[in-house]
Every structure is written in structure tokens, then in C-alpha cells.
């Protein structure tokens, strides 16, 4: 077994995270640059050190998870959600079951709640938000952001739901209350069912084709018929019908049936 394959096996044993399901060249490059920066010669040395040093282990997790996010990321897509997708979903069912999968530091589920609040009272909104990375989840729960991540937030929403504290922006408690955060590994943990809307953006690009295909099936099963799957702006599904989806708009897929 080569150095990286052995590392994959060790990480899986230690954390349950299966790096083999992430695109190899990209992940290997990211992790190699980290261990070189920290002065190790190969993955074996790096893993040994990681086992003894929690900070290094967290650095590894940080490097492999890629937490970049922002509010209203690709704003035009959120407009499609608001103008075209949500009115139809809400027409059928006012108690929407919504999941933000791989939610990172919270910008995505909080964006969802802000948009949903245009249709429903906040007390009726509930979004499940999950990520594999506990650090990201802690930051999401804190709800404090730098100005840059608010660039796309409409002015009215910024006024209504954020408080400026020094150079930071704090999201309102009323928005926070509508989101339940949980740790969840998309590649290993079971999915709940009967969702009206699943948002999973900018994480599938890191996975192998096989892993992606398994996940499309699982997301399809997790939706109720007519439910909607919203993917990232580089993550178009090329053969949606083979997973039980039909394209409703670019980057939005409806569960058939
Ligand atoms: C680039 S961020 C995307 C955040 C947000 N969805 C967005 O589009 O702005 C990718 C997120 O996927 C998470 N992630 C990576 N592998 C995962 C897995 N196997 N299960 C769940 N989340 C995962 C990372 O921790 C990271 O927070």
C-alpha cells in the first residue's frame, strides 16, 4: 500500500472519515502542502504526529473540510429559489421540512431562514443544518461574521437580521432559533426522509464520481415526491432521471413520482 493509501486507512480507523471517497489528486495536494509546511516528509510521519498532537489533528480536519461559505452565495440562484421554487413548495405544504447538508459555518441555513421568512412566520420555520466539521458547527451556532461574507445580503435583510458589533456582524436570535445544527457525515451517516427541500451545495464537487452517484440516490430517497434538491453552481447533475430527478431549473431538481 502506498503512503497516501495507508494514510487513508489510518484516518478512517481513527475518525470514520473516508478520504477514498474524495477526489484523490485534489485532496492529496491539499494535505501534502499542509504536512510539508509543518516539516514532515510523508503521510506516515504526518499521521503519527497527528495522533499525538490535537492541534495538528484539527489543522488536518480544517484543511480537508474546506469551510468557505457566504450568505446568498450565487445570489441569482437564491432568487430562483424565492421566486419560482418556494411558492410552489409552500402552496402544497406550509410546514416545510428543510435540510441544509454540509452547512459549514451557517451562512447557508441562515440564508434559507431569511428567505423563508418572506413567506412564513419565523416561529413556523425550521431548518436542519448539518456538517461533518464540529468546529464549523460551533462557529455557525455563534453566528458572528465578517463583512465580506455578507456582501450579497440584501440591504433590508441586513438591517432586519444583523447587528454590527465592531467589525463583525451578528445574526439575530430569531433567525438562529429556526435552525438546528447537528454533526453529520454525508458519506457514512443515515439520512432522514420526507424532506420538502434539501440544499447541498459546494461539497459534492470534492467527492469521487462513485460517491456522488450514491449520494444522488440517497438524497432522492430522502425527499418526498415533488420535493426539491438544490445544488451548487458548478454541480449540475447531467443525467438527473437516472436518480429519479427531473430538472426544474438550472441547479434545482425535483423528485419525480
Ligand atoms: C465549501 S463548504 C460549503 C458550504 C455551503 N454549503 C456553501 O455552499 O456555501 C463544504 C463543507 O462540506 C463539509 N463536508 C466535507 N465533507 C463532508 C462530509 N463527508 N459530510 C458532511 N459535510 C462534509 C465541510 O466541512 C465544509 O463545511
Amino acid at each position: 500500500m502506498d503512503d497516501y493509501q495507508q494514510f487513508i486507512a489510518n484516518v478512517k480507523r481513527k475518525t470514520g472519515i473516508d478520504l477514498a471517497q474524495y477526489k484523490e489528486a485534489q485532496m492529496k495536494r491539499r494535505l501534502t502542502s499542509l504536512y510539508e509546511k509543518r516539516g514532515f516528509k510523508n503521510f506516515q510521519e504526518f499521521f503519527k504526529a497527528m495522533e499525538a498532537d490535537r492541534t495538528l489533528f484539527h489543522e488536518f480536519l480544517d484543511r480537508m473540510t474546506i469551510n468557505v461559505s457566504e450568505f446568498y452565495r450565487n445570489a441569482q440562484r437564491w432568487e430562483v429559489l424565492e421566486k419560482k421554487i418556494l411558492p410552489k413548495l409552500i402552496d402544497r405544504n406550509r410546514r416545510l421540512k428543510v435540510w441544509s447538508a454540509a452547512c459549514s459555518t451557517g451562512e447557508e441555513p441562515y440564508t434559507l431562514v431569511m428567505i423563508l421568512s418572506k413567506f412564513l412566520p419565523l416561529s413556523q420555520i425550521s431548518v436542519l443544518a448539518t456538517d461533518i466539521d464540529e468546529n464549523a458547527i460551533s462557529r455557525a451556532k455563534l453566528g458572528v461574521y465578517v463583512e465580506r461574507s455578507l456582501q450579497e445580503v440584501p440591504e433590508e435583510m441586513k438591517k432586519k437580521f444583523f447587528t454590527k458589533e465592531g467589525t463583525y456582524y451578528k445574526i439575530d436570535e430569531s433567525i438562529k432559533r429556526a435552525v438546528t445544527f447537528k454533526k453529520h457525515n454525508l458519506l457514512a451517516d443515515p439520512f432522514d426522509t420526507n424532506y420538502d427541500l434539501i440544499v447541498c451545495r459546494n461539497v459534492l464537487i470534492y467527492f469521487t464520481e462513485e460517491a456522488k452517484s450514491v449520494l444522488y440516490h440517497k438524497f432522492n430517497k430522502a425527499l418526498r415526491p415533488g420535493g426539491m434538491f438544490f445544488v451548487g453552481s458548478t454541480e449540475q447533475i447531467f443525467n438527473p432521471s437516472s436518480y429519479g430527478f427531473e430538472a426544474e431549473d438550472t441547479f434545482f431538481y425535483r423528485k419525480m413520482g
Side-chain angles (χ1 to χ4, degrees):
M1 214 189 282
D2 83 7
D3 189 35
Y4 184 59
Q5 299 306 320
Q6 186 62 56
F7 181 76
I8 289 182
N10 287 336
V11 168
K12 189 159 184 202
R13 192 169 27 77
K14 183 177 162 71
T15 66
I17 296 170
D18 186 4
L19 293 173
Q21 299 199 60
Y22 292 73
K23 284 181 189 150
E24 178 167 328
Q26 200 181 29
M27 183 59 79
K28 205 168 159 181
R29 203 176 331 114
R30 295 181 67 77
L31 296 176
T32 304
S33 80
L34 172 63
Y35 80 59
E36 284 177 353
K37 200 165 107 193
R38 293 284 164 265
F40 302 104
K41 282 201 290 297
N42 53 38
F43 278 107
Q44 198 191 341
E45 268 191 9
F46 180 43
F47 184 78
K48 256 201 205 130
M50 235 167 68
E51 283 208 298
D53 178 350
R54 274 197 79 74
T55 312
L56 191 63
F57 175 62
H58 278 124
E59 233 181 314
F60 153 74
L61 279 180
D62 223 37
R63 182 58 65 99
M64 71 139 294
T65 49
I66 317 168
N67 296 130
V68 279
S69 191
E70 62 180 292
F71 289 94
Y72 289 79
R73 186 173 190 172
N74 315 112
Q76 323 88 291
R77 311 270 69 98
W78 291 96
E79 199 165 321
V80 173
L81 179 77
E82 180 181 330
K83 300 271 150 57
K84 184 169 170 190
I85 310 290
L86 282 180
K88 281 192 206 161
L89 287 178
I90 288 169
D91 210 30
R92 288 177 59 149
N93 172 15
R94 292 183 63 81
R95 280 270 172 195
L96 293 185
K97 186 166 172 178
V98 182
W99 178 20
S100 162
C103 66
S104 189
T105 37
E107 293 88 334
E108 180 179 282
Y110 292 145
T111 300
L112 265 167
V113 175
M114 285 190 274
I115 293 175
L116 283 165
S117 78
K118 292 185 152 187
F119 297 86
L120 302 164
L122 277 166
S123 59
Q124 271 180 38
I125 299 170
S126 135
V127 171
L128 171 70
T130 63
D131 200 280
I132 196 174
D133 181 353
E134 282 170 297
N135 275 335
I137 291 180
S138 305
R139 284 169 54 199
K141 285 183 180 165
L142 205 63
V144 174
Y145 299 93
V146 292
E147 185 154 18
R148 189 166 22 87
S149 60
L150 270 75
Q151 258 171 23
E152 298 287 344
V153 179
E155 215 35 59
E156 25 139 1
M157 290 298 185
K158 216 192 246 180
K159 275 210 194 98
K160 201 164 166 192
F161 294 124
F162 289 89
T163 323
K164 193 163 186 208
E165 291 182 357
T167 53
Y168 294 93
Y169 286 81
K170 202 168 178 2
I171 188 112
D172 201 75
E173 285 301 320
S174 61
I175 298 286
K176 275 192 184 173
R177 270 196 295 275
V179 182
T180 306
F181 288 99
K182 261 196 209 154
K183 182 179 174 185
H184 180 274
N185 180 351
L186 286 168
L187 298 169
D189 296 329
F191 290 14
D192 200 358
T193 53
N194 267 316
Y195 286 103
D196 296 282
L197 172 65
I198 298 176
V199 181
C200 183
R201 308 183 72 221
N202 306 302
V203 65
L204 296 176
I205 33 162
Y206 300 116
F207 297 154
T208 63
E209 290 307 311
E210 302 81 76
K212 260 196 274 194
S213 161
V214 171
L215 283 172
Y216 291 146
H217 282 293
K218 289 183 78 173
F219 280 124
N220 187 268
K221 260 185 96 174
L223 286 162
R224 63 154 182 75
M228 203 64 71
F229 183 42
F230 177 16
V231 300
S233 289
T234 55
E235 298 175 318
Q236 218 156 338
I237 307 176
F238 292 108
N239 43 354
S241 61
S242 59
Y243 305 105
F245 287 116
E246 57 191 350
E248 169 82 9
D249 203 302
T250 335
F251 313 113
F252 290 90
Y253 299 90
R254 181 216 311 270
K255 176 173 175 161
M256 295 192 286

